[in-house]
Amino acid sequence: MYAVVAIPLNRPDVRDFLSAVTERTEPQGARVEIIGQRPTPEAVGAWCQTLDAIPPGVDTNDVVQHLLAIDTPHAHLQRVATDRLIPVQFLTDPGFLTRTMGGWAPIYFAVIGVDGPEAVGRESDDVLLRHAETLRIYGDRIDTHGADPEQVAEHLEKEMDAPVDEVVRGIVRLQRLDEETDGAPEQQVPLLVAAIDGSQALQTSTGRPVPTPILCDALLDRLVRFERTRRIADARGDADAVARHAFHQRTWAEDLNVQLILKGEYIAGRHRRSTICLAPSLGLVIKQPGPEPFHDIELSARSYDGNTENWPVLENNGAVVTSRGRVRIVLEENVVPPLHAAFEHGVSFSPLLGLIIEDHVPGPTLQSFVADDPRRLTADVYAQVLITQQVCEALGVNNPDWHSANFIVEDETDDLIHIDWGAARPLTADEQTPDGRRGRIEQVRNFAYSFQDDDIAERAGRLHDQITGNPDQMASIRDTARHLANTS
């Protein structure tokens, strides 16, 4: 049985259970299935066998159906113990399981597979599952919002700069590379980076270069696979294996200028699921949204220990939006491309692979920039955050996810560039009212809590009140935002 659950991680027995992970090497708790960030190697291998068997001359639309056969959360399923749902590296932060600012308590939000309804809830024998609130039961098959085959077929050749048969050959070629290297990312990552930058070709069976988006997808896959095995080794206390992984990751960062940011689980109040490959040497940032159910966050939905808690609530019946499904929505709504254009931030989308490939912006995140010196959070800096929100307003967009880690402070100009529009959606006519506009400005106030520091949050709150309470300054901010929106 598959179900959507929300589990508060700040309850005393949950905290004790998870905190003890660092003291034991063997997994404990119930075994559950979860949706991994990437398809399993076994699922990819079976998919590529099917692709390799497609005969010549098959209609493009039929080939697209084969290409999208991997677009299902069932290809991502992994079995884990409940004490391994949260990576050990987060649990070393003493406030990770307890910190609640602005209602943002840590709530684990996911699809899990269990033996039956009795495995979840107050009667469960498992500590985490005992606290799980079931938001929806799917049954044996997970409802999915995935790619649109017509959209994929329409974008395919322009997206890949290659005909569909070469796309198939490119995917199969990289699967064979995986097999030739015994699935070793440490051998493949340098080859993939060299192929992306053009210094060393990886060719299909016809001698043509493997399309760049396919190379980017494979690079992301190998980096995720390697980080996952590192996290498994870390959880079981295998210091030698962790050191070997760290050596290769450090080498990739120093020699290839390639790093991975993996948020493989959704913990409301901490982070959403996503995978990001930072590749400054390639001038790229490769992103893949995490598969997660349609949802929103209800502010102050619960109360615990004298504090309100913000909880996820399902929308659209809680179907899981795959990475390809998320890119599908982005292109259908046409909200994100104009936002990138307004801030002159180059981006391309792959509905076939569920990738977003952006120009790399050199500089630190605003979160780290301010954490190093809180005085850097000035009125001018906060005004840029409000300008970004007002550009959304001018373009008819609601972006409810204001987070300091989603802004880059550009090295040369100190301008703020917003780099994550995953939560952006078009405004409805009913929302475009004076009260609605005031409410969306107030949403920016949540930005303060993303620093996870009381003093910085208080400073950000004062700046918010100071600027939004000044009619002349807000008029200037709106004028600047309208100008930027009109250039998109």
Side-chain angles (χ1 to χ4, degrees), residues 106 145 206 208 288 344 392 447:
H145 182 88
T206 61
R208 294 185 58 167
Q288 188 161 60
E344 299 181 344
C392 292
F447 167 87

Side-chain angles (χ1 to χ4, degrees), residues 121-446:
R122 294 180 181 178
E123 302 305 316
S124 174
D125 294 331
D126 182 83
V127 176
L128 264 72
L129 298 183
R130 193 179 306 140
H131 288 277
E133 179 175 323
T134 301
L135 306 183
R136 189 197 160 184
I137 295 175
Y138 297 115
D140 293 336
R141 298 296 300 178
I142 301 168
D143 286 354
T144 305
H145 182 88
D148 173 9
E150 291 185 6
Q151 184 191 71
V152 170
E154 179 184 347
H155 284 80
L156 187 67
E157 291 200 12
K158 181 179 179 182
E159 168 192 338
M160 295 290 169
D161 193 25
V164 67
D165 53 351
E166 281 299 310
V167 172
V168 171
R169 293 187 188 105
I171 293 171
V172 170
R173 172 68 184 92
L174 296 189
Q175 174 62 17
R176 287 181 177 155
L177 174 66
D178 200 29
E179 294 166 356
E180 291 162 6
T181 58
D182 294 324
E186 52 268 48
Q187 296 182 45
Q188 296 180 58
V189 167
L191 294 174
L192 291 166
V193 171
I196 294 169
D197 72 16
S199 61
Q200 182 176 337
L202 276 172
Q203 298 177 332
T204 69
S205 58
T206 61
R208 294 185 58 167
V210 175
T212 296
I214 297 174
L215 295 168
C216 290
D217 184 64
L219 176 61
L220 201 63
D221 179 81
R222 302 328 183 247
L223 292 172
V224 169
R225 188 191 305 174
F226 200 71
E227 172 60 11
R228 183 167 182 265
T229 58
R230 187 201 67 80
R231 292 184 181 188
I232 291 171
D234 192 20
R236 68 170 183 259
D238 188 341
D240 290 342
V242 171
R244 288 194 299 272
H245 281 74
F247 169 78
H248 286 293
Q249 290 173 326
R250 188 166 56 250
T251 299
W252 297 335
E254 293 173 356
D255 296 350
L256 304 177
N257 213 358
V258 168
Q259 292 179 283
L260 177 74
I261 301 173
L262 175 62
K263 300 174 184 176
E265 56 290 309
Y266 188 144
I267 306 174
R270 299 298 181 263
H271 56 250
R272 291 186 67 166
R273 296 190 69 166
S274 65
T275 306
I276 302 170
C277 172
L278 303 174
S281 61
L282 303 174
L284 300 175
V285 176
I286 307 163
K287 296 182 176 181
Q288 188 161 60
E292 60 189 37
F294 278 114
H295 73 285
D296 199 351
I297 297 293
E298 182 181 350
L299 301 180
S300 303
R302 304 280 192 282
S303 180
Y304 175 74
D305 200 22
N307 296 310
T308 59
E309 293 181 340
N310 308 328
W311 273 62
V313 291
L314 297 185
E315 296 183 337
N316 296 333
N317 208 23
V320 168
V321 185
T322 67
S323 301
R324 293 167 176 82
R326 182 61 60 190
V327 173
R328 167 187 177 176
I329 293 169
V330 166
L331 294 175
E332 287 174 346
E333 293 180 341
N334 195 33
V335 163
V336 176
L339 287 167
H340 279 273
F343 295 101
E344 299 181 344
H345 186 205
V347 64
S348 62
F349 302 92
S350 172
L352 172 64
L353 301 171
L355 291 183
I356 301 169
I357 302 175
E358 300 175 358
D359 291 348
H360 177 259
V361 179
T365 67
L366 181 58
Q367 187 178 55
S368 62
F369 182 75
V370 171
D372 289 344
D373 183 354
R375 293 172 298 178
R376 290 171 169 170
L377 185 58
T378 64
D380 286 344
V381 167
Y382 201 89
Q384 288 191 61
V385 176
L386 289 170
I387 287 170
T388 304
Q389 189 277 326
Q390 286 295 295
V391 168
C392 292
E393 201 69 39
L395 291 171
V397 175
N398 180 29
N399 179 58
D401 184 21
W402 295 105
H403 199 294
S404 55
N406 292 342
F407 286 91
I408 296 292
V409 184
E410 194 171 20
D411 277 341
E412 291 187 3
T413 64
D414 281 346
D415 288 344
L416 296 189
I417 304 294
H418 195 279
I419 57 167
D420 187 349
W421 296 108
R425 63 168 180 79
L427 288 168
T428 65
D430 292 344
E431 292 173 316
Q432 300 192 49
T433 64
D435 285 345
R437 285 187 282 273
R438 282 191 292 270
R440 287 186 289 278
I441 290 176
E442 278 303 292
Q443 284 180 333
V444 181
R445 191 183 292 279
N446 285 323

Side-chain angles (χ1 to χ4, degrees), residues 14-166:
V14 173
R15 295 201 311 262
D16 292 344
F17 179 66
L18 291 175
S19 298
V21 168
T22 56
E23 302 169 5
R24 56 181 180 252
T25 58
E26 293 302 315
Q28 291 189 18
R31 270 50 176 179
V32 298
E33 284 187 305
I34 60 171
I35 301 173
Q37 182 69 18
R38 299 280 308 186
T40 65
E42 295 78 13
V44 172
W47 173 56
C48 285
Q49 283 187 343
T50 300
L51 294 180
D52 197 28
I54 298 174
V58 175
D59 180 75
T60 296
N61 291 327
D62 291 334
V63 177
V64 166
Q65 293 290 347
H66 287 294
L67 286 168
L68 294 179
I70 197 71
D71 185 31
T72 167
H74 289 269
H76 294 234
L77 292 175
Q78 304 166 357
R79 198 163 186 84
V80 299
T82 53
D83 75 337
R84 299 296 195 255
L85 291 175
I86 313 301
V88 171
Q89 66 199 63
F90 298 132
L91 300 176
T92 58
D93 173 0
F96 188 86
L97 296 175
T98 58
R99 190 167 50 242
T100 300
M101 300 177 65
W104 293 107
I107 310 295
Y108 180 79
F109 174 60
V111 173
I112 63 170
V114 294
D115 291 336
E118 67 284 351
V120 180
R122 294 180 181 178
E123 302 305 316
S124 174
D125 294 331
D126 182 83
V127 176
L128 264 72
L129 298 183
R130 193 179 306 140
H131 288 277
E133 179 175 323
T134 301
L135 306 183
R136 189 197 160 184
I137 295 175
Y138 297 115
D140 293 336
R141 298 296 300 178
I142 301 168
D143 286 354
T144 305
H145 182 88
D148 173 9
E150 291 185 6
Q151 184 191 71
V152 170
E154 179 184 347
H155 284 80
L156 187 67
E157 291 200 12
K158 181 179 179 182
E159 168 192 338
M160 295 290 169
D161 193 25
V164 67
D165 53 351
E166 281 299 310

